[in-house]
Amino acid sequence: MYYIGLDVGGTNLAAGVVDRDGNILQKLSRPVDKRMTADELCIELGRLAVDVCAAAGLGIGDISAVGAGFPGMVDNEKGVVISTPNMPFRGTRFRELFRAVCDADVYLGNDAKCAAIGEYMAGAAKGCDPAVVVTLGTGIGGGMVTGGRLFTGYAGSGTEIGHMIIRPGGVPCGCGNRGCWEQYGSATALIRITREEMERSPESLLWELCSGDIGKVQGRTAFDGVKRGDDAARRALDTYLEGLALGLSNIINILHPEVICLGGGISNADDSLLLEPLREMALSNSFDKVTPTRIVKAALGNDAGIVGAALLCNML
Ligand SMILES: [Zn+2]
């Protein structure tokens, strides 16, 4: 049995043929043409599915199901992409448009939830239940597998963990609230915190690390500064870790998952600067100090979205 997973991103559309255990047999990706409408993107995804299938030497008849992970809200029952903040999908009839090009059963999911399925089936959360996957990117995405199924909540909007409020009245968030976790724990947040620390510290080495241009600060800048012994970088990273750990502690105390996998570019930082301090802080805030939740690095990188989307049909 083979499946096709589609990872729908703002810059790239990626597709993979995946077996039932989550192994990728063939992969294809195409850059997103920013002029394309939502309907055109759905048709392009249909073509991509047909092409990746052919590249794997298979026909669409060999495919049990297709799944697509979108960066936003979907209604799988209706086959509609409700909205995506950074792409043009809005009330888009994806299933209908896709099936006009690629005649297979197709399931719709959210990209962060698909990544959780991917890590659970074939990555760092394999065999762990409940498993939570936290993706640290522009925002914070989340997904959970429990009892061998994806947790979706009522109408599919569960595990929007990036929008748990950790600082009432805090930094405004794109969702309309203030003080959401993603304003303190995402890659974007680390960049903001690093810049704020630089503005207070004109002597900091951080300025040298971004060639004097504060606009060039990246998620890794603070980590690089800490490695070179810079005090402002240390303060920035400590502030960031405190916010990140707070959200992780809340997840642990509410759900007590067996494992939390951290994904996204930030998760590639050295364990001694990220995972080890996070484990210590999260444990000290945990109600259960005897059987701690393991906090690990996600294993599949960008492939998690493809694998999870492909196997979405088995997880709903
Ligand atoms: Zn929010």
Side-chain angles (χ1 to χ4, degrees), residues 6-14 30-34 41 45 69-71 84 86-89 111:
L6 300 168
D7 186 19
V8 185
T11 42
N12 268 299
L13 305 177
R30 267 169 215 166
V32 170
D33 179 347
K34 304 277 184 197
L41 284 164
L45 285 162
F70 290 89
T84 47
N86 301 309
M87 290 191 82
F89 303 101
D111 56 358

mmCIF file of all heavy atoms in Angstrom, residues 6-14 30-34 41 45 69-71 84 86-89 111:
data_model
loop_
_atom_site.group_PDB
_atom_site.id
_atom_site.type_symbol
_atom_site.label_atom_id
_atom_site.label_comp_id
_atom_site.label_asym_id
_atom_site.label_seq_id
_atom_site.Cartn_x
_atom_site.Cartn_y
_atom_site.Cartn_z
ATOM 1 N N LEU A 6 1.354 15.545 0.631
ATOM 2 C CA LEU A 6 1.643 16.860 0.055
ATOM 3 C C LEU A 6 1.892 17.844 1.188
ATOM 4 O O LEU A 6 1.081 17.945 2.112
ATOM 5 C CB LEU A 6 0.449 17.350 -0.775
ATOM 6 C CG LEU A 6 0.025 16.464 -1.958
ATOM 7 C CD1 LEU A 6 -1.337 16.912 -2.481
ATOM 8 C CD2 LEU A 6 1.072 16.518 -3.057
ATOM 9 N N ASP A 7 3.006 18.535 1.119
ATOM 10 C CA ASP A 7 3.329 19.551 2.111
ATOM 11 C C ASP A 7 3.213 20.907 1.430
ATOM 12 O O ASP A 7 4.012 21.244 0.559
ATOM 13 C CB ASP A 7 4.745 19.309 2.644
ATOM 14 C CG ASP A 7 5.092 20.247 3.791
ATOM 15 O OD1 ASP A 7 4.168 20.818 4.396
ATOM 16 O OD2 ASP A 7 6.296 20.407 4.067
ATOM 17 N N VAL A 8 2.160 21.643 1.798
ATOM 18 C CA VAL A 8 1.850 22.901 1.126
ATOM 19 C C VAL A 8 2.476 24.051 1.906
ATOM 20 O O VAL A 8 2.060 24.330 3.035
ATOM 21 C CB VAL A 8 0.320 23.091 1.032
ATOM 22 C CG1 VAL A 8 -0.015 24.332 0.214
ATOM 23 C CG2 VAL A 8 -0.351 21.854 0.452
ATOM 24 N N GLY A 9 3.484 24.681 1.322
ATOM 25 C CA GLY A 9 4.155 25.788 2.014
ATOM 26 C C GLY A 9 4.104 27.053 1.184
ATOM 27 O O GLY A 9 3.820 27.006 -0.018
ATOM 28 N N GLY A 10 4.388 28.163 1.814
ATOM 29 C CA GLY A 10 4.344 29.445 1.128
ATOM 30 C C GLY A 10 5.412 29.585 0.052
ATOM 31 O O GLY A 10 5.225 30.306 -0.921
ATOM 32 N N THR A 11 6.541 28.894 0.193
ATOM 33 C CA THR A 11 7.591 28.990 -0.822
ATOM 34 C C THR A 11 7.712 27.727 -1.672
ATOM 35 O O THR A 11 8.124 27.811 -2.819
ATOM 36 C CB THR A 11 8.978 29.281 -0.185
ATOM 37 O OG1 THR A 11 9.128 28.482 0.977
ATOM 38 C CG2 THR A 11 9.100 30.727 0.217
ATOM 39 N N ASN A 12 7.363 26.572 -1.110
ATOM 40 C CA ASN A 12 7.495 25.317 -1.853
ATOM 41 C C ASN A 12 6.286 24.408 -1.689
ATOM 42 O O ASN A 12 5.707 24.333 -0.607
ATOM 43 C CB ASN A 12 8.718 24.536 -1.341
ATOM 44 C CG ASN A 12 9.963 24.851 -2.137
ATOM 45 O OD1 ASN A 12 10.011 24.606 -3.348
ATOM 46 N ND2 ASN A 12 10.947 25.411 -1.478
ATOM 47 N N LEU A 13 5.955 23.704 -2.777
ATOM 48 C CA LEU A 13 4.982 22.614 -2.700
ATOM 49 C C LEU A 13 5.808 21.334 -2.790
ATOM 50 O O LEU A 13 6.576 21.170 -3.744
ATOM 51 C CB LEU A 13 3.997 22.670 -3.873
ATOM 52 C CG LEU A 13 3.240 23.984 -4.083
ATOM 53 C CD1 LEU A 13 2.367 23.899 -5.338
ATOM 54 C CD2 LEU A 13 2.388 24.316 -2.855
ATOM 55 N N ALA A 14 5.690 20.454 -1.799
ATOM 56 C CA ALA A 14 6.476 19.221 -1.815
ATOM 57 C C ALA A 14 5.535 18.030 -1.790
ATOM 58 O O ALA A 14 4.468 18.077 -1.178
ATOM 59 C CB ALA A 14 7.410 19.178 -0.612
ATOM 60 N N ARG A 30 8.278 21.746 -5.924
ATOM 61 C CA ARG A 30 8.227 22.845 -6.876
ATOM 62 C C ARG A 30 8.086 24.157 -6.126
ATOM 63 O O ARG A 30 7.326 24.227 -5.161
ATOM 64 C CB ARG A 30 6.983 22.694 -7.770
ATOM 65 C CG ARG A 30 7.294 21.952 -9.045
ATOM 66 C CD ARG A 30 6.063 21.567 -9.801
ATOM 67 N NE ARG A 30 6.323 20.288 -10.426
ATOM 68 C CZ ARG A 30 5.406 19.507 -10.959
ATOM 69 N NH1 ARG A 30 4.134 19.874 -10.920
ATOM 70 N NH2 ARG A 30 5.734 18.381 -11.517
ATOM 71 N N PRO A 31 8.788 25.202 -6.592
ATOM 72 C CA PRO A 31 8.597 26.503 -5.944
ATOM 73 C C PRO A 31 7.190 27.028 -6.215
ATOM 74 O O PRO A 31 6.591 26.718 -7.250
ATOM 75 C CB PRO A 31 9.648 27.398 -6.594
ATOM 76 C CG PRO A 31 10.080 26.705 -7.836
ATOM 77 C CD PRO A 31 9.783 25.245 -7.675
ATOM 78 N N VAL A 32 6.670 27.792 -5.278
ATOM 79 C CA VAL A 32 5.329 28.366 -5.443
ATOM 80 C C VAL A 32 5.429 29.614 -6.314
ATOM 81 O O VAL A 32 6.231 30.500 -6.048
ATOM 82 C CB VAL A 32 4.734 28.747 -4.060
ATOM 83 C CG1 VAL A 32 3.451 29.555 -4.221
ATOM 84 C CG2 VAL A 32 4.475 27.498 -3.242
ATOM 85 N N ASP A 33 4.631 29.636 -7.358
ATOM 86 C CA ASP A 33 4.507 30.835 -8.184
ATOM 87 C C ASP A 33 3.537 31.773 -7.454
ATOM 88 O O ASP A 33 2.353 31.467 -7.320
ATOM 89 C CB ASP A 33 3.967 30.432 -9.569
ATOM 90 C CG ASP A 33 3.783 31.636 -10.476
ATOM 91 O OD1 ASP A 33 3.821 32.776 -9.984
ATOM 92 O OD2 ASP A 33 3.594 31.418 -11.695
ATOM 93 N N LYS A 34 4.072 32.893 -6.959
ATOM 94 C CA LYS A 34 3.277 33.781 -6.082
ATOM 95 C C LYS A 34 2.067 34.400 -6.805
ATOM 96 O O LYS A 34 1.173 34.938 -6.171
ATOM 97 C CB LYS A 34 4.151 34.913 -5.519
ATOM 98 C CG LYS A 34 5.377 34.428 -4.762
ATOM 99 C CD LYS A 34 5.061 34.062 -3.316
ATOM 100 C CE LYS A 34 6.346 33.664 -2.575
ATOM 101 N NZ LYS A 34 6.111 32.950 -1.344
ATOM 102 N N LEU A 41 -3.462 26.791 -7.401
ATOM 103 C CA LEU A 41 -2.564 26.020 -6.531
ATOM 104 C C LEU A 41 -3.120 24.614 -6.283
ATOM 105 O O LEU A 41 -2.369 23.639 -6.238
ATOM 106 C CB LEU A 41 -2.350 26.746 -5.199
ATOM 107 C CG LEU A 41 -1.389 27.947 -5.254
ATOM 108 C CD1 LEU A 41 -1.547 28.812 -4.004
ATOM 109 C CD2 LEU A 41 0.060 27.482 -5.390
ATOM 110 N N LEU A 45 -1.259 21.195 -7.226
ATOM 111 C CA LEU A 45 -1.018 20.109 -6.263
ATOM 112 C C LEU A 45 -1.486 18.774 -6.850
ATOM 113 O O LEU A 45 -0.856 17.738 -6.628
ATOM 114 C CB LEU A 45 -1.726 20.401 -4.938
ATOM 115 C CG LEU A 45 -1.037 21.478 -4.079
ATOM 116 C CD1 LEU A 45 -1.987 22.025 -3.014
ATOM 117 C CD2 LEU A 45 0.228 20.910 -3.419
ATOM 118 N N GLY A 69 -1.147 18.692 3.776
ATOM 119 C CA GLY A 69 -0.998 19.501 4.984
ATOM 120 C C GLY A 69 -0.883 20.967 4.608
ATOM 121 O O GLY A 69 0.049 21.363 3.914
ATOM 122 N N PHE A 70 -1.843 21.766 5.061
ATOM 123 C CA PHE A 70 -1.884 23.201 4.728
ATOM 124 C C PHE A 70 -1.455 24.053 5.928
ATOM 125 O O PHE A 70 -1.775 23.698 7.065
ATOM 126 C CB PHE A 70 -3.317 23.613 4.344
ATOM 127 C CG PHE A 70 -3.763 23.057 3.029
ATOM 128 C CD1 PHE A 70 -4.385 21.817 2.966
ATOM 129 C CD2 PHE A 70 -3.556 23.763 1.854
ATOM 130 C CE1 PHE A 70 -4.797 21.287 1.749
ATOM 131 C CE2 PHE A 70 -3.967 23.247 0.635
ATOM 132 C CZ PHE A 70 -4.587 22.004 0.580
ATOM 133 N N PRO A 71 -0.807 25.180 5.664
ATOM 134 C CA PRO A 71 -0.398 26.057 6.770
ATOM 135 C C PRO A 71 -1.557 26.929 7.235
ATOM 136 O O PRO A 71 -1.541 28.147 7.079
ATOM 137 C CB PRO A 71 0.724 26.904 6.151
ATOM 138 C CG PRO A 71 0.387 26.974 4.697
ATOM 139 C CD PRO A 71 -0.345 25.690 4.362
ATOM 140 N N THR A 84 -5.616 30.398 5.235
ATOM 141 C CA THR A 84 -4.181 30.258 5.476
ATOM 142 C C THR A 84 -3.627 31.683 5.578
ATOM 143 O O THR A 84 -3.798 32.459 4.638
ATOM 144 C CB THR A 84 -3.479 29.514 4.318
ATOM 145 O OG1 THR A 84 -3.921 30.073 3.073
ATOM 146 C CG2 THR A 84 -3.783 28.035 4.316
ATOM 147 N N ASN A 86 -0.703 33.008 5.304
ATOM 148 C CA ASN A 86 0.332 33.461 4.365
ATOM 149 C C ASN A 86 0.200 32.911 2.953
ATOM 150 O O ASN A 86 1.124 33.004 2.156
ATOM 151 C CB ASN A 86 1.721 33.124 4.921
ATOM 152 C CG ASN A 86 1.942 33.780 6.261
ATOM 153 O OD1 ASN A 86 1.731 34.987 6.400
ATOM 154 N ND2 ASN A 86 2.293 32.997 7.264
ATOM 155 N N MET A 87 -0.942 32.309 2.647
ATOM 156 C CA MET A 87 -1.202 31.814 1.286
ATOM 157 C C MET A 87 -2.631 32.207 0.910
ATOM 158 O O MET A 87 -3.425 32.555 1.779
ATOM 159 C CB MET A 87 -0.996 30.279 1.232
ATOM 160 C CG MET A 87 0.464 29.871 1.379
ATOM 161 S SD MET A 87 0.737 28.116 1.009
ATOM 162 C CE MET A 87 0.830 28.121 -0.781
ATOM 163 N N PRO A 88 -2.970 32.154 -0.387
ATOM 164 C CA PRO A 88 -4.265 32.708 -0.795
ATOM 165 C C PRO A 88 -5.505 31.848 -0.523
ATOM 166 O O PRO A 88 -6.610 32.282 -0.814
ATOM 167 C CB PRO A 88 -4.082 32.917 -2.311
ATOM 168 C CG PRO A 88 -3.014 31.989 -2.719
ATOM 169 C CD PRO A 88 -2.126 31.803 -1.545
ATOM 170 N N PHE A 89 -5.329 30.631 0.049
ATOM 171 C CA PHE A 89 -6.498 29.775 0.283
ATOM 172 C C PHE A 89 -7.482 30.432 1.250
ATOM 173 O O PHE A 89 -7.095 30.860 2.339
ATOM 174 C CB PHE A 89 -6.081 28.424 0.868
ATOM 175 C CG PHE A 89 -5.097 27.673 0.026
ATOM 176 C CD1 PHE A 89 -3.745 27.659 0.346
ATOM 177 C CD2 PHE A 89 -5.517 26.978 -1.104
ATOM 178 C CE1 PHE A 89 -2.825 26.964 -0.430
ATOM 179 C CE2 PHE A 89 -4.603 26.276 -1.887
ATOM 180 C CZ PHE A 89 -3.255 26.277 -1.554
ATOM 181 N N ASP A 111 -0.586 21.620 8.668
ATOM 182 C CA ASP A 111 0.806 21.179 8.500
ATOM 183 C C ASP A 111 1.490 20.751 9.808
ATOM 184 O O ASP A 111 2.219 19.751 9.826
ATOM 185 C CB ASP A 111 1.639 22.215 7.738
ATOM 186 C CG ASP A 111 1.632 23.600 8.383
ATOM 187 O OD1 ASP A 111 0.951 23.793 9.409
ATOM 188 O OD2 ASP A 111 2.320 24.484 7.835
#
